[in-house]
Amino acid sequence: IPIRGFIGDNKLNSQTIEKQLVEIETTLNTKYLKGILLLVDSPGGTVSDSSMIYELLQEFKQKHKIPIYAFVQGLSASGAVYISSCADKIYSTSSALIGSVGTLIETVNVSQTLEKVGVKALAITAGEHKDLLNPTRPMSENDITWAQHICDSSYNDFVNVVSQNRPLISSEDLKERLGARVFPSKEALEYGFIDVNNASRN
C-alpha cells in the first residue's frame, strides 16, 4: 500500500486506503494473506486523515492477525510517522529522512491590509469562537489560546501513538529531547523511529 505524497489529498486519504483494504478482502483469499507492506514517501498531511488511516490499518491487522511492515523510500514526516506507527517493523533506505512528530496550525491575517485599503469584512456568527482565526479581523488572545489548545490536543494524541508503538521512544523523549525535528535514517535508527537502516526494497 503506497503512502506517498500529501496525506489528505485526492490520492491519499482515509477513503482511498479504506477502499484498498476492502479490495484486498474481496479479491484475495485472506487465508493466504501474510502481511501488508507500506511504501512510505510522504511529508505528512492532515491530522484527521493520518489518524484515521492509522486506525484502519490497526483494525485490519488485528482482524486478520497479520503483521504490517513499513519501508521508508525517501521521507516519512509528521502524518507519515503517525501512520507508520502501526507497523511491526520499519525499514528505510540510507538516504531517508524520518521524524517531525508535531502539529501545526497556520494562518495569515490580512485585517490591517484590508483596513488600509478601506475594506471592512463582516462575519455573522452564533457560538463563541465560530470564526476562530478569521483572517479578516484582528486576532485576539482568546483566538490564540484556543487554537493552541486544539494544536496541543492533537499533538498529545500523536505523541501517545508514537511512544506506545515505538519501544525505544518515550513521550518525554519526543516532548523534551527529540522535538519535531526530522532525522537522517542513521539517527532515526538510534532514536528508535525505525528498526532497520540502509534496507533495500528487494
Side-chain angles (χ1 to χ4, degrees):
I1 295 179
I3 307 296
R4 295 195 184 104
F6 184 82
I7 300 164
D9 71 9
N10 291 333
K11 294 182 179 179
L12 177 57
N13 55 58
S14 57
Q15 288 80 21
T16 61
I17 297 299
E18 184 174 24
K19 182 179 178 181
Q20 290 180 65
L21 295 175
V22 169
E23 286 176 351
I24 290 173
E25 287 185 316
T26 56
T27 60
L28 296 177
N29 188 333
T30 53
K31 72 178 183 179
Y32 297 116
L33 185 61
K34 301 301 182 184
I36 287 178
L37 175 62
L38 305 177
L39 301 176
V40 183
D41 189 2
S42 170
T46 68
V47 171
S48 57
D49 280 290
S50 299
S51 61
M52 181 57 71
I53 292 170
Y54 167 83
E55 293 294 340
L56 287 168
L57 290 167
Q58 284 282 60
E59 289 174 7
F60 192 89
K61 171 182 173 179
Q62 293 166 8
K63 178 180 178 180
H64 296 287
K65 296 180 173 56
I66 58 170
I68 293 179
Y69 303 104
F71 177 54
V72 183
Q73 297 174 298
L75 176 65
S76 178
S78 197
V81 172
Y82 199 127
I83 293 170
S84 297
S85 294
C86 74
D88 296 88
K89 280 197 173 183
I90 302 176
Y91 302 79
S92 82
T93 62
S94 59
S95 59
L97 297 172
I98 299 101
S100 189
V101 177
T103 53
L104 171 69
I105 296 176
E106 287 185 303
T107 185
V108 174
N109 192 281
V110 297
S111 59
Q112 290 185 358
T113 302
L114 294 179
E115 185 178 344
K116 286 181 180 178
V117 297
V119 176
K120 290 186 177 181
L122 174 64
I124 299 173
T125 67
E128 188 178 4
H129 297 306
K130 182 59 181 177
D131 66 338
L132 182 72
L133 302 182
N134 183 340
T136 65
R137 63 164 175 77
M139 192 176 299
S140 70
E141 287 298 322
N142 284 336
D143 287 341
I144 297 172
T145 298
W146 191 250
Q148 186 65 58
H149 170 70
I150 294 171
C151 201
D152 290 343
S153 178
S154 297
Y155 174 63
N156 287 330
D157 290 342
F158 191 177
V159 167
N160 288 337
V161 164
V162 175
S163 61
Q164 287 169 9
N165 288 281
R166 305 304 302 164
L168 297 181
I169 304 177
S170 68
S171 58
E172 290 76 18
D173 285 334
L174 289 169
K175 291 182 177 182
E176 300 173 10
R177 185 165 63 98
L178 302 176
R181 291 174 289 175
V182 176
F183 301 97
S185 59
K186 185 177 180 180
E187 291 179 44
L189 176 65
E190 294 174 2
Y191 293 137
F193 284 103
I194 61 175
D195 300 289
V196 180
N197 179 34
N198 199 24
S200 168
R201 179 175 172 179
N202 298 321

